Amino acid sequence: MVTARAARPTRLARTAPRIAMGALVVLLVLVGVALAAAALAPRELHPVLGHRSPATALLLGAATLLGLALMPRLGAMGRTGAVMLAAPIGTLLVANELLGSDYAGAPTGTALDVPVLLLVPAGHLTLLFGALRSAGWARRGAWAIFALTAALSLLIMIVPTPPISDFLMADRTVYGALLIAALMTAAIAILLERGRHATGTGLA
C-alpha cells in the first residue's frame, strides 16, 4: 500500500508536464485555426475569431502564460519562442492600457508596431515547434501541422471570397500568408527531423 501511494505522485509528476505541454500545443494550434476560420468566413467569423477578437486574444494570452510557466521543461527552441511571444504580447498589453485601446493587441501607433507585430507570429511558430520537440512529438507534430496548414491554405485559396471591405480583405490576405508561413516552417521542421533521425540511426 505504501508503494502504491508513493507511485501515484510519481506517475502524476510524470504525466502533468506532458498534459500541460499538450495543452500548450492545442492552444497555439487553435490560434491558427481561429484565424483560418476568420479568413474563410470574414463577414461572419472575423469579428469573433479575427486577431482583434477577445477569443483569439484569450487563446494567445493563455498560450503565452503557459509557455512561460513551462520554460523549465522546454528546450532551447521552446524557451526562445516563449520569450519571443511574451515580449510583444506584454508590450501590447502595457501600451494598450496606457493608450486606452478598445481591444487587446491593438497597434500602439508608435515605431514599436512593426517589430512587435512581426515577433508575434515568429514567437508563436517557434514556441509551437519547440513545444512539439520538448514533448517528443517533433516528427509526428511537424507532419500534423504541415497537413493542417496545407488543408486550410488550400481552402482559403479555393473558397470564393464574398464581397467584403478592403479592410477585411487585407486581414484575410494576412491570415493566408501566416498559414503559408506555418506550412513552410512545418516543411523545414520535417526535413530537419528527418536529418536528425538519419544521423542518429547512422543513416546518411
Side-chain angles (χ1 to χ4, degrees):
M1 184 177 295
V2 174
T3 304
R5 288 179 179 175
R8 287 174 189 170
T10 303
R11 200 175 300 120
L12 181 61
R14 292 175 181 173
T15 305
R18 289 181 66 84
I19 293 174
M21 201 72 71
L24 174 60
V25 170
V26 169
L27 287 170
L28 292 167
V29 169
L30 284 177
V31 171
V33 172
L35 297 182
L40 288 168
R43 286 188 297 190
E44 296 82 5
L45 296 180
H46 188 275
V48 293
L49 293 176
H51 71 285
R52 296 177 180 83
S53 67
T56 302
L58 285 173
L59 286 173
L60 199 54
T64 302
L65 291 175
L66 189 53
L68 291 174
L70 288 173
M71 279 187 70
R73 297 189 175 274
L74 289 168
M77 181 188 295
R79 291 194 297 270
T80 301
V83 173
M84 287 174 66
L85 185 58
I89 295 298
T91 300
L92 288 173
L93 286 175
V94 172
N96 291 337
E97 282 295 321
L98 294 175
L99 297 172
S101 175
D102 293 334
Y103 60 90
T108 63
T110 69
L112 287 173
D113 284 344
V114 173
V116 162
L117 296 179
L118 285 176
L119 271 176
V120 172
H124 176 276
L125 291 176
T126 305
L127 179 56
L128 172 58
F129 286 96
L132 289 171
R133 177 174 289 184
S134 297
W137 307 326
R139 294 180 68 196
R140 287 175 294 179
W143 274 109
I145 299 299
F146 181 86
L148 177 62
T149 51
L152 292 174
S153 299
L154 183 61
L155 278 174
I156 290 174
M157 285 189 286
I158 64 176
V159 171
T161 306
I164 54 177
S165 66
D166 292 342
F167 176 79
L168 286 179
M169 181 59 77
D171 281 350
R172 188 179 193 272
T173 302
V174 170
Y175 299 162
L178 290 175
L179 282 174
I180 294 296
L183 175 67
M184 298 306 296
T185 304
I188 293 170
I190 289 169
L191 293 175
L192 290 175
E193 290 304 321
R194 179 181 293 179
R196 289 179 64 210
H197 180 71
T199 303
T201 54
L203 299 176

